[in-house]
Amino acid sequence: MKAVTDKQARGRGQRYWIRPRFARYDSETVDDGWWREDDGTPIGTTVTVEKARTILTRNQSPDIPFDQSINPYRGCEHGCTYCYARPAHAYLDLSPGIDFETRLFAKPDAARLLAGEISAPGYRCSPVALGANTDPYQPVEREWKITREIIEVLAEYRHPLTIVTKSALVLRDLDLLQDMAASGLVEVYLSVTTLDAELARRMEPRAAAPGKRLRAIQSLSEAGVPTGVMFAPVIPALNDHEMEAVLEQAAGAGAGRAGYVMLRLPNEVRPLFRQWLQETTPLRYRHVMGLIKQLRSGRDNDPRFGKRLRGEGPLADIIAQRFGSACQRLGLNKKAVALRTDLFRRTVSTGKQADLFDQ
């Protein structure tokens, strides 16, 4: 595990380069007499176009509430230090650490591919999840607008979708979401990890501030878009004490539903999170990791279906009880949002997406 300088990592969640587990070769910096001291320029974000052949990702996991999703981007500039998606960068021979948030991949053909896939004769309509792996509204979306193009296709085909994001940029697409909500085609969740702006800055340096996420919930709700809050991840002894406060603030802003996910530390996330915790909260390090082991059968991570999202044991039971009691008190999760699939139309006769099939 190699570290870039603090100046280079300014504004990033991770400053470490960790060797991709599938890489055949490693590199090491050696002073050969031509080396010059780094000038401290912060590492910028690069975006590479990915020529995807398909865009819908199928999911058969029994503990995930959707069976297909779209990821407009690989990597995420938000830089959440705990992100369970970081190990995916190892498949690209890139570091799940600093590379994950600085070396991104965009799929500009996503809308065209989506239109082709959902209009295929054998396609079965079910809600598409945006935000299952990396955030569809991360900062680069302002320029690339791939997420908006995807929503435009889904809106035109009257296809249901769900969105999970940490960004207030979702309000840019309120015109589309409001129209879809009127037909029962969309549900949006804002992920709020903490109300502590300083903790959020350290954990999620390029995500929207907690207050902006709550205001986004309010704006979406006032526009008639079914909106919920995700308290995720729950990190014992770091943010778990905020659960009730986050749910209360979200319910007050108009959220109708809520969920939570326990911290997951798969593969390369484990050493990255441990290092981050030691550097940012050294006095809590042993306590936090000890409680995580209590939730994970004595390990840092438990990948078993049914256990990975909630944990197990007395502490997991207490957190579940606290969550349930808070939701009941605040009127959250009274009824499920049933997104409609009966409005789906396999072809469109007007609009720019119809032109795709004339090419």
Side-chain angles (χ1 to χ4, degrees), residues 174-241:
L174 189 56
D175 57 330
L176 296 170
L177 300 176
Q178 190 171 23
D179 287 346
M180 295 184 74
S183 300
L185 293 172
V186 67
E187 183 178 20
V188 179
Y189 278 79
L190 269 293
S191 177
V192 182
T193 315
T194 177
L195 299 176
D196 184 338
E198 176 57 26
L199 178 58
R201 185 190 65 79
R202 297 199 310 267
M203 282 201 307
E204 312 158 336
R206 298 201 177 193
K212 292 190 69 173
R213 299 183 217 180
L214 291 169
R215 289 192 290 275
I217 290 176
Q218 182 173 1
S219 296
L220 288 163
S221 179
E222 290 176 348
V225 179
T227 310
V229 63
M230 287 295 297
F231 183 62
V234 180
I235 307 175
L238 193 63
N239 74 338
D240 68 304
H241 65 282

Side-chain angles (χ1 to χ4, degrees), residues 79-98:
C80 303
T81 190
Y82 50 74
C83 183
Y84 63 82
R86 285 182 177 273
H89 249 45
Y91 291 96
L92 305 173
D93 278 350
L94 294 174
S95 169
I98 189 68

Side-chain angles (χ1 to χ4, degrees), residues 74-80 83 89 100-102 104 134-135 138-139:
R74 291 183 190 267
C76 187
E77 200 175 10
H78 280 162
C80 303
C83 183
H89 249 45
F100 178 78
E101 53 196 278
T102 60
L104 311 181
T134 56
D135 201 311
Q138 59 179 289

Side-chain angles (χ1 to χ4, degrees), residues 127 160 162 181 183-187 226 257 335-342:
T162 62
S183 300
L185 293 172
V186 67
E187 183 178 20
R257 294 186 58 75
K335 62 178 182 178
V337 176
L339 299 181
R340 298 184 65 177
T341 58
D342 59 308

Side-chain angles (χ1 to χ4, degrees), residues 117-186:
E117 290 179 43
I118 64 178
S119 63
Y123 177 75
R124 180 182 62 84
C125 178
S126 65
V128 167
L130 284 175
N133 206 37
T134 56
D135 201 311
Y137 285 103
Q138 59 179 289
V140 294
E141 167 63 16
R142 294 183 183 277
E143 175 185 353
W144 287 80
K145 299 181 176 62
I146 299 173
T147 296
R148 182 174 177 87
E149 292 175 357
I150 290 171
I151 297 175
E152 287 174 342
V153 171
L154 294 173
E156 195 166 9
Y157 283 81
R158 313 300 289 164
H159 193 295
L161 79 149
T162 62
I163 298 172
V164 179
T165 181
K166 289 184 170 72
S167 176
L169 181 59
V170 65
L171 296 178
R172 179 203 62 189
D173 298 334
L174 189 56
D175 57 330
L176 296 170
L177 300 176
Q178 190 171 23
D179 287 346
M180 295 184 74
S183 300
L185 293 172
V186 67

Side-chain angles (χ1 to χ4, degrees), residues 1-6 8-9 14-20 23 25-30 43 95-99 271-272 275 279:
M1 187 182 294
K2 307 170 187 176
V4 299
T5 65
D6 289 340
Q8 287 178 301
Q14 280 290 337
R15 66 188 188 94
Y16 288 93
W17 189 93
I18 187 169
R19 184 178 184 272
Y25 307 104
D26 200 356
S27 62
E28 182 176 349
T29 301
V30 176
I43 297 175
S95 169
I98 189 68
D99 287 348
L272 290 169
Q275 187 68 35
E279 293 180 354

